[in-house]
Amino acid sequence: MNKAILIALACTVLSPMLLHAQTDSDATPSAPVKEKATMLAIGSADILDTYLSPELYSGTALSIMTTAARHRAGSPLTREQLWTIRFTDAENRAANSNHLGGFLNYQYSWRYRIPCQQVDLQVGPMAEALLGGLYNTRNGNNPAQLYANAALGAVLTAGKDFTLFKKHIHARYHASMPLLGAAFTPQYGQSYYEIFTRGSYDHNIVVTSPTNAASLRHMLTLDIPVWRHTLRIGYLGEYRQRDANNIKTHDYAHMLIIGYVINK
């Protein structure tokens, strides 16, 4: 993973220069190649938020994702958007309290193709933003937590085509990691009433990086032709965590993906 991060960081800096250095000799206009996919993911989640409770909560996570990728034939650059709506219902070990949560996450990436004979390898920068919240059904005081953050990071994809049972299948691995950003968080014991009503600011905007918010999202998918359609199945792993203002949070999810792909 360290090598992948270094490659992605290098590509983040170098890819704009490499793209600018392309000559116009091969700039023959061509129609863009588009790929859209809608996916449903369901699985398990472990949630910790010490602002709401010191207990670990475990339960079910459900995500709805849409992706839209675009590139031109012969171009090394691919642009992709990824929207995710996530819902979570988790309970503590005593089964007397629940965390109900959800968030909307948007990610935009620029990936540059790296020459590689074995796989279609692409790396580059990405930007993402997340807005959501978590509600504890048992808390009377400070029952909810707001999540709002944005970050710049790196993305890596690796694709491979192969044939199985006379079907052309495309396998793809996608990983993204935020590297530098900002997030909203209260101080431990500070109420939202103090922040938003009384204006009692107390370092509620913090800088995030892998040192205090190491996070990773990765997907392994297979695109399988079914009659005239393309079915996508796979695995989604999300690992989000943060340690700031004396509050520790994490959200670990392992999910099964099923979806539908449209190529134009």
Side-chain angles (χ1 to χ4, degrees), residues 150-203:
L152 300 175
V155 62
L156 176 148
T157 67
K160 179 73 173 180
D161 294 324
F162 64 95
T163 301
L164 181 64
F165 300 122
K166 297 182 180 181
K167 289 186 176 293
H168 178 77
I169 297 174
H170 179 70
R172 183 179 185 229
Y173 177 75
H174 178 286
S176 61
M177 175 180 287
L179 299 175
L180 182 64
F184 168 84
T185 177
Q187 289 280 354
Y188 183 78
Q190 181 187 27
S191 70
Y192 281 85
Y193 172 80
E194 294 176 288
I195 299 173
F196 295 114
T197 303
R198 302 187 62 182
S200 300
Y201 178 81
D202 189 7
H203 300 93

Side-chain angles (χ1 to χ4, degrees), residues 1-209:
M1 181 58 67
N2 291 335
K3 292 182 179 179
I5 294 173
L6 291 174
I7 293 174
L9 285 172
C11 185
T12 300
V13 177
L14 294 176
S15 58
M17 293 184 289
L18 291 170
L19 292 172
H20 181 72
Q22 285 184 305
T23 65
D24 293 333
S25 60
D26 59 351
T28 303
S30 59
V33 179
K34 301 177 182 179
E35 178 189 279
K36 296 183 179 181
T38 300
M39 296 168 283
L40 178 69
I42 187 169
S44 63
D46 291 329
I47 298 177
L48 174 69
D49 190 317
T50 59
Y51 179 78
L52 298 176
S53 171
E55 290 287 330
L56 177 67
Y57 284 65
S58 299
T60 303
L62 174 68
S63 290
I64 301 171
M65 299 179 291
T66 63
T67 67
R70 179 188 179 101
H71 73 275
R72 291 188 179 276
S75 172
L77 180 65
T78 298
R79 300 178 177 89
E80 184 174 32
Q81 299 182 75
L82 171 61
W83 289 91
T84 302
I85 300 175
R86 169 77 182 274
F87 304 98
T88 305
D89 182 1
E91 64 179 9
N92 60 8
R93 290 176 294 177
N96 60 5
S97 177
N98 285 68
H99 276 338
L100 304 177
F103 63 74
L104 172 65
N105 177 250
Y106 174 73
Q107 185 182 103
Y108 193 97
S109 63
W110 301 260
R111 303 194 307 270
Y112 183 79
R113 181 172 288 106
I114 303 298
C116 182
Q117 295 182 350
Q118 301 300 321
V119 297
D120 178 16
L121 180 64
Q122 301 179 20
V123 295
M126 69 92 178
E128 73 166 6
L130 182 147
L131 179 64
L134 190 65
Y135 173 76
N136 186 281
T137 58
R138 193 179 184 186
N139 285 5
N141 188 31
N142 294 342
Q145 172 76 297
L146 171 68
Y147 298 125
N149 56 267
L152 300 175
V155 62
L156 176 148
T157 67
K160 179 73 173 180
D161 294 324
F162 64 95
T163 301
L164 181 64
F165 300 122
K166 297 182 180 181
K167 289 186 176 293
H168 178 77
I169 297 174
H170 179 70
R172 183 179 185 229
Y173 177 75
H174 178 286
S176 61
M177 175 180 287
L179 299 175
L180 182 64
F184 168 84
T185 177
Q187 289 280 354
Y188 183 78
Q190 181 187 27
S191 70
Y192 281 85
Y193 172 80
E194 294 176 288
I195 299 173
F196 295 114
T197 303
R198 302 187 62 182
S200 300
Y201 178 81
D202 189 7
H203 300 93
N204 299 124
I205 303 298
V206 298
V207 175
T208 58
S209 71

Side-chain angles (χ1 to χ4, degrees), residues 177-252:
M177 175 180 287
L179 299 175
L180 182 64
F184 168 84
T185 177
Q187 289 280 354
Y188 183 78
Q190 181 187 27
S191 70
Y192 281 85
Y193 172 80
E194 294 176 288
I195 299 173
F196 295 114
T197 303
R198 302 187 62 182
S200 300
Y201 178 81
D202 189 7
H203 300 93
N204 299 124
I205 303 298
V206 298
V207 175
T208 58
S209 71
T211 60
N212 66 347
S215 300
L216 172 70
R217 168 193 269 175
H218 66 150
M219 293 186 286
L220 178 62
T221 58
L222 296 175
D223 290 353
I224 305 171
V226 179
W227 292 289
R228 296 182 179 181
H229 307 282
T230 301
L231 178 70
R232 175 170 291 178
I233 60 172
Y235 163 81
L236 168 65
E238 289 186 308
Y239 315 98
R240 299 181 182 274
Q241 55 189 2
R242 187 173 68 220
D243 186 353
N245 287 354
N246 301 305
I247 297 173
K248 292 183 178 181
T249 67
H250 78 225
D251 184 340
Y252 304 151

